[in-house]
Amino acid sequence: MDLEIDLLGPLRVRADGRDVPLGGDHPKAILARLATTPGEPVPTHELIASVWTDPPPAVVSTLRAHVSRMRLNGLRDAIVGERGGYLLDASVDDVDLLRCRRAVTQAPTDDAARLRTLIAATAELARTPLPGLEHHPHVERLQREVTDERAFLEEELGDLALRLGDVGLATAVLSDTTTRHPLRERPVRTLATALARAGRTSDAVAVIDALRDRLQEHGGIRLSSRLDELRAAVIRFDPAVVSPLAAPAPAVRRVGIAIPLTRFVGRSVDLARLARLAHTDRLVTLVGPAGVGKTRLAVEAARRSGVDREQYMVDLADIAEPDGVIGAIATVVRAPEASVDAIVRRLHGAGALLLLDNADLVIGALSVVIDAVLTDPDGARVVVTSREALRAPGERTVVIRPLAGDHADEAWQLFEQRAVDARGGRPFAEDEQLPARALCDSLDGLPLAIELATARLDVLGIEEVRAGLGAVPGLPGRHSSLQSAIEWTVALLDSADRAGLHAVARFAGPFTVEAVAGIMRMRPAEADSLVDRLVSRSLVAADRTATGRRRFRVLEAMKEALTPQDDPELASAWHEAHRGWFSDLAYRAAPTLRAFEGRDTAAILDGFQADLDLAHAHNLAAGDRLGAVRLAGGLAHHRYLRGRLAEGRRWIDEALALAGESDAGADALANIELANLAYQLGDAPAAFTAIADALRLAIAADDASVQMVALSRAGYGRSLFGDVQTGAGLLAQAATLHERAAPWAVSEYRMSHGQVLRSEGRLDDALRELTEAHRVAASIGYTWMVTSASYVVVKTLIDARRPRDAVAVGRTAVLTARADEDAAGALAVLHALAAAAAAVERHEEGAMLLGAVDELGLRYDYSTMTAEGEDAARLRALVSAGLRADEFTRAVTAGRRMDWDAVVAIIDRLPGVRPAVSMSGG
């Protein structure tokens, strides 16, 4: 008989694929006892003692009757009567608990493999065995055994994670363990060490001190000398304790996941579960009511995770139409176009987390993207927050409940900490404790309601807040407590702050004080004061970007409450000002993208992505050609740097196609950006047309910089496609504008002139001109042109038979481009480096680099072959010439499996001396 028996969780028995009805608690307890030792006879007296605390007089007959009914219900061949007892004819593999135990005992000794085994085992053992059957003696013992096993395995898991350098996993798991086993020393010791290695030394000391207090309360037990020594070592930053044993994990690239400005409180059990699931499940949905803290928990879990190389967070709350889902995700993950295929390609092999927040209203459209991502075995893992599950294949649902019942203490911790913050650091006095706890209890454990209530304790007393919230016994339902908190808090605002709250709730995504001031026509100090007042009332959430800039957002539950009350006329006027401000921002930001502040500007534009999308849509809907061109043209270089070439081109095409007011300068900039995007996408005819339009418009606007760049790019392209004479003539025209053009344009001219000189075979002259292009670009922080000049230098050095110098220059250029998030530039240089590898007789490594270029290029829809044509084909031929066809194919295939770290490792193995050029001369 084929048996499946689940002892973890409610008892479930299946025989030959069908559920077996067992009846009441006694037959369940009997079968469960037999299942703990399958294949072994259990004497009748032992079985009775395991099931009955106080056996009835005819207990043997009762036992036989229960066994007989179970046999009739489908277990006839499974329960065997032995002399004086019974046996379950099953194996260890048939019982979930026993399978789990055996997996642990037979786990491989390899640390990484054992870590996976322990994660799976502790997740299994988190389910209470046979709930509801605790009144049977053997079940009570089994539950104690499993609890102890789970704690022991979690301690081992924490130690192992710490040894492997995954302090996030160790911290999450052991925080939960110490909560459930408050007197155990080992998890506290490992947890404190993990916190210290994560830089949280004050928390590490607090964990040890909390154990000392608990032991003191539990019979006056002293802390062990071992923990005393650990505490002292943490305080003095002893490298043996606070330095990681394993190599530090590489920095995680995060987009959209900001740094919270308030301390995270509680949720240790949920954090531990999410930390485990990060290793075992690729689709996890956090489900819970509004205001329960799903987003904050997901962000905290992401920031503590040690399994991702990249993390992307997409807020879907303001996606009005399902079609907008794909575009929103594509924008955040830097996919080259708004399509499901592009998103999948971008995330392939990236080791990424895709965090999709507020998915409630777009579940249908979202499921298409998630299904495609998960179908790719090397795609991202996905975490979703929603008020309902996706019901997708392979989904693991985690229900996030209010901090009530067993977790009421965590609600109080949150309430107390936020209240102390609101009261200027003043804790509750003794006579305030009871009313404060009563107020906290009335909020149903909803974190948002707690935040709103405590925010008013700066000026109001506890009873005043209770009265305002209607916090009286019998308050109907959790939603009512949150709605009551929102309505009461908003009602307390004066008319100006209430109008300001409605205004900031119209932003599609995060916003800044500068945006509020610009759109609402306020002085910066007034806008700053308004936002601070709303933050202090917990009506607006504040966090900090990776660059340290504060940004703000209105929570979805707050927007839901405010939207029905919004004035349509005021909203219409606000949106008109909104699109005007963002169009102006993009146009003013364009020059700074080619300067030292470029990275900071790009980060600002990244944070405004949702509102830039909204402004573009409103410009098109209003037929505002000037605004649309300024916005699309101003953002184009940012789109290029982020790999969004197709979208950047589409926005410019849509803007230029509008009828209406135009400006020659804005149109010239848009066309010169269009030329680059079209060229990189392989559409050379459209690129040359856009260059011609840019030149004509720049002459009309007397813009010497755009004129110079238009002539230079035209000359570069002509020489690359074989028309060297025409290219040289165009560069000669560009040279006449040298005195009037800006440095960024001069650097482009120098780079293009270097390419023309290379095409003419004047290699030494080309290297001198390219070196000057590099110098000028580096002097102003024009990183794209720094990489572009380096790319042509590498090709020129190969032509000059100086491949070792080419390797040295190329390696630096690849690393620099990656640091500047210029994926296309890095891939272009890498393509040239493949040819340099062949030139130093490393054809196999060159072919592997080509494979990496081909595969990584799919993420960004970038192809050097498409962009560079015959020049790229010639470099590729240098690589394939040194290998047989099968060898070349095999090496390219191997390269397709490499990530960026593996690519750099290949480059580092190439013969390369310190460059004789070093970008300072031939």
Side-chain angles (χ1 to χ4, degrees):
M1 177 174 289
D2 184 15
L3 286 178
E4 301 171 57
I5 302 173
D6 293 342
L7 298 180
L8 296 170
L11 178 65
R12 185 184 183 213
V13 180
R14 290 174 64 82
D16 294 330
R18 285 182 284 195
D19 286 325
V20 176
L22 297 175
D25 287 354
H26 282 93
K28 291 178 181 176
I30 292 167
L31 184 67
R33 171 61 189 87
L34 295 175
T36 59
T37 55
E40 299 179 15
V42 181
T44 300
H45 69 276
E46 182 181 328
L47 189 54
I48 290 171
S50 298
V51 175
W52 282 274
T53 304
D54 185 15
V59 66
V60 174
S61 298
T62 302
L63 172 62
R64 288 173 179 165
H66 286 314
V67 170
S68 177
R69 277 193 291 274
M70 285 191 286
R71 285 171 167 167
L72 288 172
N73 287 339
L75 296 176
R76 180 177 301 279
D77 298 328
I79 302 179
V80 179
E82 292 283 323
R83 182 179 296 277
Y86 295 92
L87 173 149
L88 182 67
D89 187 10
S91 70
V92 168
D93 288 336
D94 297 330
V95 184
D96 61 347
L97 172 60
L98 305 185
R99 282 197 309 273
C100 179
R101 286 172 170 169
R102 190 173 70 173
V104 171
T105 58
Q106 296 180 355
T109 57
D110 170 69
D111 280 351
R114 185 163 184 79
L115 182 74
R116 290 191 293 271
T117 300
L118 292 177
I119 288 170
T122 53
E124 283 286 292
L125 297 181
R127 294 181 291 157
T128 301
L130 310 172
L133 300 179
E134 297 86 357
H135 51 286
H136 299 286
H138 85 89
V139 174
E140 184 185 16
R141 288 195 300 272
L142 183 65
Q143 289 180 348
R144 286 199 304 269
E145 288 174 9
V146 169
T147 297
D148 289 341
E149 286 176 68
R150 177 187 175 191
F152 176 79
L153 292 179
E154 285 176 337
E155 290 168 356
E156 185 182 353
L157 172 58
D159 287 341
L160 183 54
L162 189 59
R163 187 160 70 246
L164 292 172
D166 192 344
V167 293
L169 177 60
T171 300
V173 170
L174 294 173
S175 296
D176 182 24
T177 309
T178 56
T179 299
R180 288 182 287 103
H181 301 278
L183 301 179
R184 292 177 80 114
E185 176 183 312
R186 183 184 174 191
V188 169
R189 191 168 63 243
T190 308
L191 174 59
T193 305
L195 290 168
R197 289 182 185 166
R200 299 167 59 188
T201 51
S202 60
D203 290 338
V205 172
V207 164
I208 297 173
D209 289 347
L211 176 61
R212 170 182 287 156
D213 294 342
R214 292 194 297 268
L215 291 174
Q216 188 64 35
E217 294 170 2
H218 195 76
I221 304 172
R222 288 181 57 83
L223 200 65
S224 72
S225 59
R226 193 172 177 181
L227 272 177
D228 274 331
E229 292 169 2
L230 176 61
R231 186 182 189 278
V234 170
I235 291 174
R236 66 173 182 267
F237 291 92
D238 185 342
V241 173
V242 301
S243 299
L245 296 176
V252 178
R253 181 189 183 204
R254 293 189 173 99
V255 177
I257 300 179
I259 304 169
L261 296 182
T262 55
R263 181 182 175 188
F264 188 82
V265 178
R267 298 286 190 196
S268 61
V269 173
D270 293 321
L271 282 171
R273 185 177 183 192
L274 292 175
R276 291 188 183 95
L277 293 177
H279 290 264
T280 58
D281 291 73
R282 287 186 58 203
L283 174 58
V284 177
T285 303
L286 277 58
V287 176
V292 80
K294 301 183 293 294
T295 299
R296 183 65 191 276
L297 175 61
V299 168
E300 189 70 18
R303 297 196 70 87
R304 296 187 184 191
S305 172
V307 303
D308 311 308
R309 296 195 299 273
E310 300 177 6
Q311 294 180 341
Y312 301 95
M313 181 172 176
V314 186
D315 188 353
L316 300 169
D318 294 286
I319 304 300
E321 300 292 336
D323 290 346
V325 169
I326 294 172
I329 297 174
T331 296
V332 173
V333 305
R334 316 290 200 240
E337 63 179 18
S339 72
V340 174
D341 287 344
I343 293 169
V344 172
R345 291 195 302 272
R346 173 63 189 84
L347 296 175
H348 175 78
L353 162 67
L354 180 59
L355 175 50
L356 304 169
D357 193 30
N358 294 309
D360 313 74
L361 300 180
V362 290
I363 286 177
L366 192 60
S367 296
V368 175
V369 180
I370 292 175
D371 182 62
V373 170
L374 297 180
T375 299
D376 177 6
D378 292 320
R381 69 184 185 96
V382 182
V383 173
V384 179
T385 73
S386 175
R387 295 183 199 178
E388 61 178 290
L390 304 181
R391 297 177 180 82
E395 177 184 24
R396 181 67 66 97
T397 302
V398 178
V399 179
I400 308 304
R401 294 181 172 83
L403 299 173
D406 292 340
H407 301 288
D409 285 346
E410 292 185 343
W412 172 247
Q413 291 172 21
L414 177 63
F415 184 95
E416 190 174 34
Q417 176 152 336
R418 298 296 189 259
V420 168
D421 291 342
R423 288 154 55 104
R426 181 167 55 89
F428 290 121
E430 186 175 347
D431 62 341
E432 293 178 304
Q433 290 283 330
L434 283 178
R437 284 185 176 271
L439 173 57
C440 178
D441 292 343
S442 73
L443 299 170
D444 300 312
L446 285 169
L448 179 54
I450 291 172
E451 300 264 3
L452 291 168
T454 53
R456 300 312 309 229
L457 291 174
D458 57 345
V459 293
L460 299 178
I462 296 169
E463 293 299 341
E464 291 176 292
V465 174
R466 289 191 72 198
L469 289 171
V472 295
L475 187 68
R478 291 184 180 124
H479 178 74
S480 295
S481 63
L482 177 59
Q483 190 68 21
S484 172
I486 292 174
E487 292 176 356
W488 172 73
T489 306
V490 172
L492 288 178
L493 299 175
D494 60 31
S495 58
D497 283 358
R498 196 176 304 120
L501 177 60
H502 277 283
V504 298
R506 298 181 191 119
F507 280 103
F511 58 90
T512 64
V513 169
E514 293 79 10
V516 173
I519 294 169
M520 297 179 67
R521 295 178 174 82
M522 303 172 72
R523 293 195 303 272
E526 291 178 320
D528 191 46
S529 178
L530 168 66
V531 173
D532 277 348
R533 291 195 301 274
L534 296 178
V535 169
S536 71
R537 299 292 177 257
S538 291
L539 295 164
V540 167
D543 54 33
R544 204 173 286 280
T545 66
T547 60
R549 179 176 285 101
R550 283 200 312 163
R551 67 177 190 179
F552 308 91
R553 58 191 171 87
V554 179
L555 299 179
E556 180 59 19
M558 192 69 60
K559 285 189 176 184
E560 287 183 4
L562 293 171
T563 299
Q565 307 166 18
D566 203 5
D567 185 310
E569 290 188 12
L570 291 177
S572 177
W574 185 92
H575 281 294
E576 183 176 354
H578 171 274
R579 63 182 174 82
W581 190 84
F582 276 103
S583 296
D584 186 54
L585 169 71
Y587 195 64
R588 286 186 289 106
T592 68
L593 288 167
R594 294 179 167 88
F596 283 117
E597 59 265 43
R599 181 172 295 187
D600 195 45
T601 296
I604 293 171
L605 297 176
D606 288 342
F608 280 136
Q609 186 56 60
D611 283 277
L612 290 167
D613 288 346
L614 183 63
H616 177 66
H618 282 178
N619 276 333
L620 296 182
D624 182 355
R625 186 183 188 280
L626 180 59
V629 170
R630 286 163 61 89
L631 179 68
L635 284 177
H637 191 61
H638 175 261
R639 289 293 186 266
Y640 169 79
L641 294 175
R642 291 295 184 250
R644 301 300 307 278
L645 283 68
E647 182 188 78
R649 179 181 180 178
R650 175 172 58 80
W651 278 31
I652 293 176
D653 284 338
E654 290 172 342
L656 292 175
L658 291 174
E661 182 184 0
S662 64
D663 174 81
D667 279 19
L669 175 64
N671 273 282
I672 202 65
E673 297 289 11
L674 176 61
N676 180 49
L677 294 170
Y679 173 77
Q680 299 292 348
L681 289 167
D683 191 351
F688 283 118
T689 298
I691 286 174
D693 289 341
L695 180 60
R696 173 178 53 80
L697 291 161
I699 292 171
D702 194 26
D703 188 332
S705 295
V706 173
Q707 290 180 58
M708 175 176 256
V709 171
L711 290 165
S712 299
R713 290 184 182 178
Y716 179 100
R718 294 300 179 190
S719 69
L720 202 64
F721 286 95
D723 189 355
V724 180
Q725 185 175 356
T726 300
L730 291 167
L731 265 296
Q733 292 181 55
T736 64
L737 299 164
H738 188 282
E739 297 300 323
R740 294 197 296 131
W744 73 271
V746 172
S747 69
E748 289 216 22
Y749 158 73
R750 296 282 192 186
M751 187 276 295
S752 300
H753 190 208
Q755 167 59 34
V756 171
L757 292 169
R758 172 182 171 245
S759 298
E760 292 176 334
R762 298 165 57 188
L763 302 185
D764 287 343
D765 291 339
L767 287 172
R768 278 191 289 271
E769 192 72 346
L770 292 166
T771 299
E772 182 62 13
H774 187 283
R775 186 195 66 77
V776 174
S779 72
I780 60 173
Y782 190 8
T783 56
W784 178 54
M785 198 46 50
V786 167
T787 299
S788 298
S790 299
Y791 169 53
V792 184
V793 164
V794 172
K795 295 195 293 183
T796 305
L797 288 169
I798 294 170
D799 295 344
R801 292 184 170 83
R802 296 168 58 183
R804 289 174 179 254
D805 289 346
V807 168
V809 172
R811 180 188 185 279
T812 300
V814 167
L815 296 178
T816 301
R818 288 200 64 216
D820 293 329
E821 296 190 75
D822 181 1
L827 290 169
V829 176
L830 190 59
H831 193 276
L833 267 174
V840 293
E841 301 302 328
R842 294 292 185 85
H843 292 82
E844 184 176 1
E845 286 91 336
M848 293 174 70
L849 294 179
L850 289 179
V853 170
D854 292 344
E855 186 66 24
L856 293 170
L858 292 175
R859 297 187 191 175
Y860 305 95
D861 268 6
Y862 177 80
S863 167
T864 310
M865 291 295 296
T866 300
E868 300 290 291
E870 292 182 6
D871 198 48
R874 185 175 62 82
L875 294 179
R876 201 175 185 98
L878 289 175
V879 180
S880 61
L883 296 170
R884 297 195 312 268
D886 60 321
E887 292 173 334
F888 179 75
T889 301
R890 188 163 53 247
V892 168
T893 301
R896 283 182 173 275
R897 295 193 291 267
M898 295 195 305
D899 59 13
W900 276 111
D901 290 337
V903 165
V904 174
I906 289 284
I907 297 171
D908 285 343
R909 293 201 297 268
L910 296 175
V913 297
R914 189 173 186 82
V917 180
S918 70
M919 299 311 297
S920 61

